[in-house]
Amino acid sequence: EAGNHIRAYGTFSHPNVLALFLVIGGLMALALLLQSRAKAQRTYLACTLVLLSIGLILTFSRIAWVVALVAWGGLGISNLGRQVQKNKRTILIASISIVIVAVYLFPLIWARINPAIPATWESFQVRSMVIEKSISIIGQHPLGIGIGNFVIEIAYALTGYPIWMAEPVHNTFLLVASEIGLFGLVAFLLFLYFVWRAAVGGSRLFIYSFVAIILLMLFDHYFWDIRQAQVLMKLIFGMIGASENIKFQI
C-alpha cells in the first residue's frame, strides 16, 4: 500500500547528515571488529554494525547507501587475510543479518530507487539545474560571492521557479568555488591533498574514511555549511593528521 514515510534523521538537521555519521560509524565498527580478539567484543561490534546499517537504510539516503557499500566493502575486502579469517564467523553472521533487514525493507528501498517512479528523478533534476546555475555563478564571479551568500544568489538565478529550489548546490567543490572563488577552491583542494598524503601513510580505516568523505562531497554540501558535518570532518582529518601516534592495525 502506498504512503508517505518520514526519513530518519534523529537529532540531526537532515537525514543525509545522519547518514554521513552512520557511514563513518559503520567504518569504525567494522575496523574494530576486524581486529577484535575477544568473543564478547566481537559480538558487541557485530550488533553495533547491524544497528548502524538499519539506521542507514532508514535514512533513505541513496548516495550514502552507495558510499557505504564502497567504503565498507573496500575495507572488508582489503583485509581478507588473517583478520577476516579470525573473525569470519562473526562477520558472516553480521552480513547475513544486514541482508535479512534489507530484504525485509526492500519494498521501501525499491520505492526510493525505482527508476520508473517520477519522484526518483525529481531531486536529480532539481540538483542538476542548481549545479548548472552554480557553474554560471562561478563564471560570473571567479573570486566568489562571499561565504553564506550562495542561496541568496541562486534565488535570483532561479527567478520564476518555486522558492524551495533555492538551496545550496549539492557538490562541496562547486559550493566552495562559488562562495570563496577559484583561488579558494585551489586552497581547499591543496588542503585535501595533504590530508590524503597523511591518510595513505596511516591505516586502511583512515584511507576509506577519507574516500567516503570525498565521495559524499561530490554529492552534498553539508561539509561546508552544516556544523555537525564540519565537526565530523575535522575530527576524522585530525585523526588522520595524528595517525602516526595512533596504534591501529587495520
Side-chain angles (χ1 to χ4, degrees):
E1 182 178 349
N4 294 323
H5 303 277
I6 298 176
R7 298 171 59 190
Y9 61 92
T11 59
F12 292 84
S13 57
H14 193 277
N16 290 349
V17 183
L18 172 59
L20 160 67
F21 274 72
L22 294 175
V23 169
I24 300 300
L27 270 173
M28 300 284 184
L30 179 58
L32 290 170
L33 176 59
L34 288 170
Q35 70 172 18
S36 176
R37 297 181 180 180
K39 182 178 180 180
Q41 188 179 47
R42 290 200 304 269
T43 302
Y44 170 78
L45 290 168
C47 291
T48 299
L49 187 58
V50 172
L51 291 174
L52 290 173
S53 301
I54 295 172
L56 181 58
I57 292 173
L58 294 178
T59 64
F60 293 96
S61 177
R62 291 168 292 194
I63 295 302
W65 290 347
V66 174
V67 172
L69 287 174
V70 172
W72 297 5
L75 182 61
I77 292 172
S78 65
N79 287 278
L80 284 177
R82 186 175 56 185
Q83 288 89 352
V84 171
Q85 290 300 318
K86 289 189 301 182
N87 300 314
K88 61 181 180 181
R89 182 177 178 182
T90 305
I91 294 173
L92 180 61
I93 292 173
S95 300
I96 292 174
S97 300
I98 293 171
V99 170
I100 291 173
V101 172
V103 170
Y104 177 76
L105 295 174
F106 182 75
L108 296 178
I109 296 173
W110 181 242
R112 181 68 171 157
I113 64 175
N114 186 355
I117 299 177
T120 302
W121 300 101
E122 182 178 341
S123 63
F124 174 78
Q125 293 167 350
V126 172
R127 291 182 183 187
S128 297
M129 184 179 298
V130 175
I131 286 174
E132 180 182 344
K133 297 295 184 181
S134 71
I135 294 174
S136 176
I137 289 173
I138 294 169
Q140 296 171 10
H141 306 278
L143 297 180
I145 57 177
I147 294 178
N149 289 332
F150 184 87
V151 173
I152 299 173
E153 191 70 23
I154 202 68
Y156 285 110
L158 292 173
T159 300
Y161 290 93
I163 190 61
W164 58 264
M165 290 180 61
E167 60 179 2
V169 59
H170 280 65
N171 182 295
T172 300
F173 304 103
L174 289 177
L175 185 57
V176 169
S178 299
E179 293 197 345
I180 61 174
L182 296 177
F183 291 112
L185 176 62
V186 170
F188 184 63
L189 292 174
L190 282 174
F191 167 70
L192 293 177
Y193 169 72
F194 288 118
V195 174
W196 168 248
R197 286 186 57 181
V200 171
S203 72
R204 293 187 182 95
L205 168 63
F206 295 139
I207 292 175
Y208 283 102
S209 296
F210 182 87
V211 169
I213 288 174
I214 294 299
L215 290 176
L216 290 168
M217 279 185 178
L218 292 172
F219 297 97
D220 223 311
H221 57 84
Y222 41 56
F223 291 110
W224 184 250
D225 59 359
I226 295 181
R227 186 65 57 83
Q228 293 163 321
Q230 291 173 345
V231 169
L232 178 63
M233 180 183 70
K234 292 171 183 176
L235 176 63
I236 296 300
F237 286 178
M239 293 173 63
I240 291 174
S243 58
E244 293 183 357
N245 301 318
I246 298 177
K247 305 299 181 182
F248 213 93
Q249 299 175 5
I250 299 302

